[in-house]
């Protein structure tokens, strides 16, 4: 009786080990497949986002080789902030930024909030006075002495939204 009990326990322990081994080997395969799928999805998502960013930056001074050649005697990385700061400095005027192309409509002045330097000649900017919002298309020139001049080409003021 004692012998058959040990035999049954030995067989039961062997079966338990076989089932445990099969479970953990399948679980490992499942986790590896899940990791591979997740990694593939992350790679596709990363590639997609890279393409979206590339498309969004298609019109930018940093990615335009012809515009870079135009500014061959300047460092683009230092020129871009200089242009932005020169344009945003006009926000300090009591009448507002003159390059928005708008006069004050109320108590607040129009100031440029955000801008994008498109190439060696054009800037597109967003402006507002807190109530009204608009976009402006600005032409800029970098003079030989390093000064920067601007000219408003076109401006658009959105109608006031009632919420």
């Amino acid at each position: 009786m004692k012998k058959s009990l040990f035999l049954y326990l030995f067989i039961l322990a062997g079966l338990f080990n076989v089932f445990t081994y099969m479970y953990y080997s399948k679980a490992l395969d499942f986790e590896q497949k899940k990791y591979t799928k997740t990694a593939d999805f992350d790679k596709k998502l990363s590639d997609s986002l890279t393409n979206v960013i590339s498309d969004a930056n298609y019109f930018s001074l940093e990615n335009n080789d012809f515009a870079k050649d135009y500014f061959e005697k300047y460092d683009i990385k230092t020129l871009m902030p200089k242009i932005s700061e020169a344009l945003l400095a006009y926000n300090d005027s009591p009448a507002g930024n003159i390059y928005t192309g708008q006069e004050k409509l109320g108590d607040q002045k129009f100031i440029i909030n955000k801008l994008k330097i498109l190439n060696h000649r054009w800037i597109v900017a967003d402006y507002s006075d807190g109530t009204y919002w608009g976009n402006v298309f600005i032409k800029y020139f970098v003079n030989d002495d390093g000064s920067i001049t601007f000219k408003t080409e076109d401006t658009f003021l959105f109608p006031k939204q009632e919420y």
Side-chain angles (χ1 to χ4, degrees):
M1 174 87 170
K2 200 175 189 183
K3 222 180 201 183
S4 61
L5 181 65
F6 282 124
L7 180 66
Y8 289 131
L9 286 175
F10 179 73
I11 291 172
L12 188 63
L15 285 173
F16 182 73
N17 285 337
V18 167
F19 284 120
T20 304
Y21 172 75
M22 293 302 293
Y23 170 77
Y24 282 115
S25 65
K26 297 283 185 186
L28 181 63
D29 289 342
F30 175 76
E31 290 296 324
Q32 286 176 342
K33 287 178 184 175
K34 186 172 131 183
Y35 173 76
T36 304
K37 286 180 183 178
T38 304
D40 289 344
F41 177 76
D42 289 347
K43 173 118 175 72
K44 288 178 185 175
L45 183 63
S46 174
D47 291 345
S48 174
L49 290 175
T50 301
N51 289 339
V52 167
I53 290 170
S54 176
D55 289 345
N57 285 331
Y58 179 78
F59 290 106
S60 72
L61 181 58
E62 295 171 321
N63 295 328
N64 189 331
D65 290 332
F66 296 115
K68 284 185 201 176
D69 291 343
Y70 183 81
F71 288 129
E72 65 186 350
K73 64 182 179 178
Y74 297 100
D75 179 26
I76 298 295
K77 299 272 189 221
T78 58
L79 182 64
M80 288 179 61
K82 184 177 177 184
I83 294 168
S84 298
E85 290 170 9
L87 184 58
L88 294 176
Y90 290 99
N91 285 349
D92 296 334
S93 170
N97 195 316
I98 60 173
Y99 295 109
T100 61
Q102 299 293 329
E103 300 292 328
K104 287 173 71 171
L105 295 176
D107 296 335
Q108 298 293 324
K109 61 184 180 179
F110 282 101
I111 60 169
I112 292 179
N113 301 316
K114 194 168 191 169
L115 62 98
K116 180 166 178 101
I117 301 171
L118 299 178
N119 59 19
H120 64 287
R121 190 61 63 219
W122 304 105
I123 297 173
V124 65
D126 172 65
Y127 64 89
S128 76
D129 69 350
T131 305
Y132 296 96
W133 299 85
N135 294 331
V136 63
F137 194 57
I138 301 170
K139 192 176 198 177
Y140 74 95
F141 302 94
V142 178
N143 302 322
D144 291 335
D145 63 352
S147 64
I148 301 167
T149 56
F150 301 98
K151 180 182 175 193
T152 302
E153 288 294 320
D154 200 4
T155 185
F156 181 79
L157 187 63
F158 295 103
K160 184 176 180 182
Q161 298 292 321
E162 298 294 328
Y163 295 104

